[in-house]
Amino acid sequence: ETGVTQSPTHLIKTRGQQVTLRCSSQSGHNTVSWYQQALGQGPQFIFQYYREEENGRGNFPPRFSGLQFPNYSSELNVNALELDDSALYLCASSSNGYNEQFFGPGTRLTVL
Amino acid sequence: AQTVTQSQPEMSVQEAETVTLSCTYDTSENNYYLFWYKQPPSRQMILVIRQEAYKQQNATENRFSVNFQKAAKSFSLKISDSQLGDTAMYFCAYYTGTASKLTFGTGTRLQVTL
């Protein structure tokens, strides 16, 4: 059984650019959630996707958007990057109706 | 809104000793779940233990156990026989189906020493 994978591992962008982060969910899971973890903080919920539809969103601006594909993999897109977007971005997958979420290793985004 | 508070930013324990990490939460919900996650320097968030709010019995997983006090909204993690591999950030998290998200505390950095 393959766990949750994320790519890339690290990424450096400049302010104003756009970035796409990718996540492959664990086998058998149809729900993907994205979290932002700033340095020294706990993860903050960005949004969740279930069967290709957004299923809940945290307090993040519209320039944070996502997508889920028929194979349940997911993308997180961030437009007009700001310095404060520098963080570890975590993806977690789960089966709908079940609360246990399994996390990927994260993507470290640095915005200069 | 639900909040999770971890009041111990850092803790240290000697190998083979027992340590307890504290967590309190605030919610108006009656049905919810609580979790402890471990995040080692490798960054991967690993589930340590989970507790369903409707269950009175405290969850245990090998050396890890919780003390769940629903009325007090308290959910502490006890690690027995601490091992060097337990060194990590520990996050308490709350989940309710109505929000479909995990709400995390700010974490406790645990250092296990020889």
Side-chain angles (χ1 to χ4, degrees):
Chain A
E1 184 178 276
T2 306
V4 180
T5 60
Q6 292 185 243
S7 62
T9 304
H10 297 90
L11 203 51
I12 300 175
K13 292 286 188 178
T14 56
R15 197 168 45 183
Q17 285 188 312
Q18 178 267 342
V19 68
T20 297
L21 310 182
R22 295 177 175 82
C23 170
S24 291
S25 60
Q26 184 165 311
S27 176
H29 288 179
N30 55 15
T31 303
V32 172
S33 303
W34 286 91
Y35 295 84
Q36 180 196 66
Q37 186 178 16
L39 198 62
Q41 300 295 316
Q44 298 290 318
F45 176 73
I46 303 175
F47 44 57
Q48 182 183 87
Y49 278 83
Y50 166 63
R51 291 188 177 180
E52 304 178 58
E53 297 287 331
E54 189 176 287
N55 183 43
R57 187 178 182 92
N59 189 26
F60 281 81
R63 58 189 187 82
F64 284 78
S65 63
L67 204 57
Q68 187 178 34
F69 300 97
N71 66 354
Y72 304 128
S73 65
S74 177
E75 286 182 355
L76 164 65
N77 298 290
V78 187
N79 293 322
L81 284 167
E82 300 177 0
L83 298 179
D84 285 348
D85 294 335
S86 294
L88 179 67
Y89 288 84
L90 296 167
C91 165
S93 74
S94 57
S95 296
N96 186 49
Y98 191 60
N99 50 75
E100 190 166 329
Q101 298 188 8
F102 295 83
F103 284 82
T107 294
R108 171 74 65 190
L109 172 65
T110 301
V111 182
L112 302 176
Chain B
Q2 295 88 8
T3 58
V4 178
T5 302
Q6 293 180 250
S7 59
Q8 304 154 314
E10 294 186 4
M11 293 195 72
S12 181
V13 64
Q14 286 190 321
E15 198 177 22
E17 297 295 308
T18 296
V19 64
T20 299
L21 309 184
S22 301
C23 172
T24 59
Y25 58 95
D26 187 26
T27 183
S28 57
E29 304 264 354
N30 193 45
N31 295 319
Y32 52 88
Y33 300 83
L34 296 164
F35 301 87
W36 279 98
Y37 280 89
K38 167 185 176 181
Q39 188 177 41
S42 66
R43 309 179 324 200
Q44 184 106 29
M45 197 75 77
I46 302 165
L47 178 65
V48 174
I49 197 165
R50 65 193 289 264
Q51 173 79 43
E52 292 89 345
Y54 63 85
K55 289 187 177 179
Q56 292 185 343
Q57 186 172 6
N58 290 324
T60 61
E61 285 288 341
N62 301 315
R63 299 182 295 107
F64 300 88
S65 62
V66 299
N67 182 4
F68 173 49
Q69 302 290 328
K70 190 173 184 179
K73 297 180 182 175
S74 171
F75 182 61
S76 61
L77 173 70
K78 185 171 83 170
I79 306 174
S80 303
D81 186 25
S82 297
Q83 301 175 358
L84 294 177
D86 295 334
T87 293
M89 281 290 289
Y90 285 81
F91 290 96
C92 177
Y94 165 101
Y95 178 94
T96 177
T98 56
S100 300
K101 67 174 184 178
L102 286 166
T103 299
F104 287 86
T106 52
T108 296
R109 183 176 303 280
L110 177 67
Q111 180 72 45
V112 180
T113 60
L114 292 171

